[in-house]
């Protein structure tokens, strides 16, 4: 067979489909998507249309129901691997859903996809002293996949700090020569920062297949460019209340922003902090032009606030659904006008940044497919 693998994918823990969107932009076709959330299905199908999204627990997915595709992608839950979560690891809680995905791969047998990509938070690097990540990579090795690691901050693409770990598996690839591996690690690629290189070097018994990569792009989009000009700002009273929840150093920054004859933008999260001698809800300002990492709105403190200041005044309000979409690089995502804000925020806060996926597809997945196509033609 001399035809190259098709650019087709199945998306597990698919959420509202931002991975699907990134792959689609890179010329891939997502033939199967699955998640347990009916709310997320509605958002997904409002953009992509019906037909291939399945509402069920990944643990209930039978390998034979998945159509033949080249790539399996899985963004398994980060609840127990994040430094902001329980840190219980992948053997308990929601993050143990990884093992259900692994069972699907095992059950696929000879029909396993040639490419696998997993995504999770940066905390997986250190969860249970790195043993959780090691267990995942060893599982992929046992299933015939040589592996690679990337750590990418969405801030290279959009004005949002969002660092995510990507684990890639290539089927039937031989373990890499250590010298070749070291040459690639010494290239200091931004997608494999030193902490990733250290992890790879510290686990020489894992079957690795590292690939050279281009530099990540420099951010060109500014925070002010994602702002919805039609959104309504809070009342003066509510904005002033937020101001008085801040440390004095953040209040001084706002005064400096107000003194300019232009609008400057920042973002705010509320956190419990020791302030004025007691622990209380505190508004913390970020004014470097990058939004904080979008979160799922499980509590009031998880909702990110947008702040603008200039011309002697300042205003504040919650980020809206369209602004969250833009922060995820999903500017063209179809959002139903009747969609409740918290449902939209949950969908975007629990997703993967679109241009990051697009970059990985174009600079990693596509070159692999092209190489395989050349090898088949030469065979």
């Amino acid at each position: 067979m001399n035809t190259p693998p098709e650019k087709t994918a199945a998306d597990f823990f698919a959420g509202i489909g931002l991975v699907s969107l990134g792959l689609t932009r890179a010329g891939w076709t997502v033939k199967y998507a699955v998640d347990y959330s009916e709310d997320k299905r509605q958002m997904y199908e409002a953009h992509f249309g019906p037909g291939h999204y399945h509402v069920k627990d990944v643990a209930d997915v039978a390998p034979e129901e998945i159509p033949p595709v080249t790539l399996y992608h899985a963004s398994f839950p980060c609840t127990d691997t994040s430094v902001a979560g329980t840190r219980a690891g992948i053997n308990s809680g929601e993050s143990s859903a990884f093992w259900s995905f692994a069972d699907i791969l095992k059950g696929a047998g000879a029909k396993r996809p040639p490419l696998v990509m997993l995504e999770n938070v940066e905390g997986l690097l250190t969860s249970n002293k790195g043993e959780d990540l090691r267990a995942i990579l060893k599982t992929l090795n046992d299933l015939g996949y040589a592996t690679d690691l990337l750590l990418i901050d969405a801030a290279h693409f959009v004005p949002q700090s969002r660092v995510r770990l990507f684990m890639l598996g290539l089927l039937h690839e031989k373990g890499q020569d250590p010298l070749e591996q070291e040459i690639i690690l010494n290239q200091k690629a931004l997608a494999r920062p030193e902490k990733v290189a250290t992890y790879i070097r510290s686990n020489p018994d894992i079957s690795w297949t590292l690939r050279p990569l281009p530099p990540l792009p420099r951010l060109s989009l500014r925070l002010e460019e994602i702002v919805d000009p039609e959104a309504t700002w809070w009342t003066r009273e509510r904005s002033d209340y937020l101001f008085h929840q801040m440390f004095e150093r953040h209040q001084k920054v706002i005064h400096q922003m107000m003194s300019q004859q232009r609008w400057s933008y920042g973002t705010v999260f509320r956190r419990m902090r020791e302030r004025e001698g007691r622990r209380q809800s505190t508004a913390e300002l970020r004014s470097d032009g990058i939004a904080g990492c979008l979160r799922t709105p499980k509590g009031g403190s998880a909702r990110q606030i947008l702040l603008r200041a200039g011309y002697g005044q300042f205003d504040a309000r919650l980020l809206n659904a369209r602004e969250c979409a833009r922060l995820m690089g999903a500017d063209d995502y179809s959002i139903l006008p009747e969609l409740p804000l918290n449902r939209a925020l949950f969908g975007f806060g629990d997703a993967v940044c679109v241009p990051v996926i697009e970059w990985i597809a174009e600079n990693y997945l596509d070159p692999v497919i092209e190489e395989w196509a050349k090898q088949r033609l030469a065979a």
Side-chain angles (χ1 to χ4, degrees):
M1 181 178 176
N2 291 328
T3 57
E6 295 181 334
K7 292 168 64 171
T8 54
D11 192 5
F12 299 83
F13 312 98
I16 65 171
L18 297 200
V19 168
S20 295
L21 184 55
L23 290 172
T24 300
R25 286 184 184 175
W28 288 66
T29 300
V30 177
K31 291 191 169 185
Y32 179 93
V34 61
D35 204 303
Y36 68 89
S37 170
E38 174 63 25
D39 288 345
K40 290 178 180 177
R41 180 197 65 80
Q42 292 176 10
M43 289 184 68
Y44 185 105
E45 292 187 348
H47 184 83
F48 295 98
H52 65 274
Y53 196 102
H54 304 265
V55 180
K56 60 168 62 179
D57 193 310
V58 169
D60 297 326
V61 173
E64 56 269 19
E65 73 183 65
I66 306 164
V69 293
T70 299
L71 169 71
Y72 279 10
H73 170 271
S75 292
F76 62 97
C78 65
T79 313
D80 306 284
T81 58
S82 169
V83 293
T86 66
R87 297 293 272 176
I90 61 169
N91 292 315
S92 63
E94 294 181 8
S95 295
S96 65
F98 162 75
W99 297 110
S100 296
F101 174 74
D103 287 340
I104 293 171
L105 279 178
K106 292 175 186 176
K111 295 182 179 179
R112 286 174 197 146
L115 290 169
V116 169
M117 181 166 66
L118 309 176
E119 179 271 345
N120 210 268
V121 293
E122 181 182 8
L124 183 57
L125 270 171
T126 54
S127 177
N128 285 326
K129 298 181 179 179
E131 287 301 312
D132 286 333
L133 177 56
R134 180 178 168 81
I136 290 169
L137 297 173
K138 276 293 191 181
T139 297
L140 291 178
N141 285 174
D142 291 344
L143 292 170
Y145 295 91
T147 55
D148 200 350
L149 282 182
L150 308 178
L151 187 68
I152 301 177
D153 190 345
H156 285 280
F157 303 87
V158 294
Q160 180 197 176
S161 175
R162 192 179 191 87
V163 182
R164 291 296 183 266
L165 184 69
F166 296 87
M167 299 141 273
L168 293 116
L170 281 66
L171 191 62
H172 304 318
E173 290 286 313
K174 295 180 180 179
Q176 198 164 37
D177 176 79
L179 179 59
E180 181 184 1
Q181 175 182 308
E182 197 58 34
I183 290 172
I184 293 174
L185 289 177
N186 285 332
Q187 291 177 346
K188 304 295 182 183
L190 295 174
R192 288 191 202 90
E194 190 56 37
K195 62 181 67 176
V196 168
T198 297
Y199 188 92
I200 291 170
R201 292 187 180 111
S202 299
N203 290 275
D205 59 322
I206 290 175
S207 179
W208 299 105
T209 179
L210 312 186
R211 299 181 59 82
L213 291 167
L216 291 166
R218 286 189 176 184
L219 178 65
S220 59
L221 185 67
R222 296 173 298 180
L223 181 59
E224 62 196 66
E225 294 178 74
I226 67 96
V227 175
D228 181 355
E230 298 181 1
T232 302
W233 297 89
W234 284 346
T235 63
R236 180 80 274 130
E237 181 181 19
R238 189 173 180 185
S239 294
D240 286 344
Y241 181 79
L242 179 75
F243 180 83
H244 291 298
Q245 284 187 300
M246 293 182 179
F247 288 112
E248 184 179 354
R249 63 180 183 274
H250 290 163
Q251 294 174 344
K252 288 181 178 179
V253 172
I254 292 177
H255 280 299
Q256 291 171 354
M257 295 164 66
M258 291 169 61
S259 69
Q260 301 175 22
Q261 294 303 301
R262 62 180 179 86
W263 291 118
S264 297
Y265 292 84
T267 56
V268 176
F269 272 121
R270 286 191 177 100
R271 296 180 173 91
M272 295 302 295
R273 293 285 189 260
E274 189 74 23
R275 184 167 55 88
E276 298 175 350
R278 60 190 179 91
R279 191 167 176 81
Q280 56 186 306
S281 178
T282 301
E284 295 188 338
L285 172 68
R286 180 168 185 163
S287 58
D288 61 354
I290 304 292
C293 185
L294 292 179
R295 307 173 185 172
T296 53
K298 296 180 179 178
S301 63
R303 295 188 297 177
Q304 193 162 184
I305 298 164
L306 180 68
L307 182 145
R308 72 173 183 183
Y311 306 101
Q313 70 178 73
F314 80 94
D315 302 289
R317 60 173 172 80
L318 293 172
L319 286 166
N320 66 24
R322 177 52 58 196
E323 289 162 338
C324 290
R326 291 169 180 164
L327 283 174
M328 295 299 286
D331 306 50
D332 57 345
Y333 194 86
S334 300
I335 302 173
L336 297 172
E338 67 272 18
L339 186 72
L341 177 59
N342 262 19
R343 191 182 301 177
L345 297 181
F346 196 98
F348 288 112
D350 198 30
V352 184
C353 183
V354 174
V356 173
I357 297 299
E358 189 176 2
W359 186 90
I360 293 173
E362 292 175 346
N363 294 283
Y364 199 110
L365 303 177
D366 289 357
V368 167
I369 288 179
E370 291 168 6
E371 287 181 16
W372 285 343
K374 291 177 181 177
Q375 291 169 6
R376 289 183 179 184
L377 287 172

